[in-house]
Amino acid sequence: MLNLILFGPPGAGKGTQAARLVEKFNLKQLSTGDMLRSERDAGTELGNRVKEIMSSGKLVSDEIVIELIETNIDNAESSVKGFIFDGFPRTVAQAEALDKMLAAKKMSIDYVVMIDVPEEELVTRLLKRAEEQDRTDDNAQTIRKRLEVYRDQTLPVADYYQDNEEAAVNKVNGVGEVDEVEKRVQRAIGKA
Ligand code: AMP
């Protein structure tokens, strides 16, 4: 098993890099953002409960995302060689819950890769994504809020893992061509 957390602010390229790793190493991407968007777009009860929070740029409750993650781990095909956690955990409480959940399944996190991108570049990328895709949470005010939420609630998760002997945080430069960043990520997980 190869389990890794792709960590970083909105717009860092976590989803793009996760897709590359999925292809290459037969991993399953677990993106809570994608899961929540698909609930919202399907108009499920859960989707209706979270859609306003999502478009405000704030975080949905820990319970909701922890349950989504657990269900998706349990439903993964047995051929899967590991999991990429993308956009999760985003709070220390989520990180603690993930540790407990994995321990109960005799699993653990092998790598935490932080994709590092300066804030000005993130804003540029997110504004561009707003034009190209239908992401109601990529607009000027919400982008500011999402970056603030990242700093206040999500960055402490890096400190939580910093002291973890098995999976210390490995920072990679997220600026550059996607292929370049992919190589840096692979190096960080000992695959290049
Ligand atoms: P993302 O695509 O990962 O940026 O997620 C889009 C939105 O979904 C976020 O701004 C949050 O409102 C919500 N969300 C996604 N993942 C989480 C999480 N792990 N914890 C809380 N809220 C989340």
Side-chain angles (χ1 to χ4, degrees):
M1 271 256 170
L2 172 67
N3 298 316
L4 67 116
I5 295 173
L6 274 187
F7 193 84
K14 300 185 296 292
T16 305
Q17 292 301 326
R20 298 284 180 107
L21 293 165
V22 163
E23 281 288 305
K24 229 174 175 117
F25 304 114
N26 197 17
L27 305 173
K28 186 174 169 68
Q29 176 190 9
L30 299 177
S31 159
T32 42
D34 287 350
M35 293 170 198
L36 291 167
R37 273 185 290 280
S38 87
E39 295 280 341
R40 182 197 61 196
D41 296 346
T44 65
E45 197 210 314
L46 174 63
N48 290 331
R49 248 192 299 147
V50 297
K51 67 180 176 202
E52 267 173 46
I53 292 255
M54 287 177 74
S55 52
S56 76
K58 294 188 201 147
L59 297 181
V60 311
S61 77
D62 291 333
E63 293 71 34
I64 289 178
V65 287
I66 289 162
E67 193 178 332
L68 282 173
I69 286 284
E70 178 143 43
T71 306
N72 278 270
I73 290 177
D74 292 343
N75 290 344
E77 315 80 59
S78 54
S79 58
V80 161
K81 297 272 188 287
F83 296 97
I84 303 173
F85 297 90
D86 164 8
F88 177 93
R90 249 172 156 108
T91 64
V92 171
Q94 290 176 24
E96 288 169 349
L98 178 63
D99 272 355
K100 268 203 205 116
M101 184 197 303
L102 293 180
K105 300 180 195 301
K106 305 263 184 288
M107 291 163 56
S108 61
I109 297 294
D110 301 297
Y111 296 97
V112 180
V113 179
M114 182 197 265
I115 306 184
D116 192 33
V117 175
E119 190 153 325
E120 319 84 78
E121 165 98 13
L122 294 172
V123 174
T124 312
R125 288 186 188 183
L126 291 166
L127 286 171
K128 190 158 166 246
R129 187 163 79 183
E131 280 172 23
E132 289 165 356
Q133 298 174 14
D134 184 26
R135 291 251 335 215
T136 49
D137 56 349
D138 284 341
N139 61 66
Q141 296 102 21
T142 317
I143 287 168
R144 200 195 307 264
K145 182 73 197 165
R146 295 172 76 215
L147 292 173
E148 181 189 311
V149 165
Y150 175 75
R151 266 195 310 266
D152 294 347
Q153 294 179 260
T154 306
L155 259 185
V157 175
D159 297 328
Y160 173 88
Y161 285 107
Q162 200 59 65
D163 303 325
N164 184 328
E165 281 170 23
E166 285 105 66
V169 179
N170 225 318
K171 214 185 227 189
V172 306
N173 177 4
V175 179
E177 296 295 321
V178 174
D179 287 349
E180 255 320 301
V181 179
E182 183 184 0
K183 279 192 206 119
R184 295 178 198 141
V185 171
Q186 284 183 24
R187 246 176 269 139
I189 62 170
K191 295 277 187 192

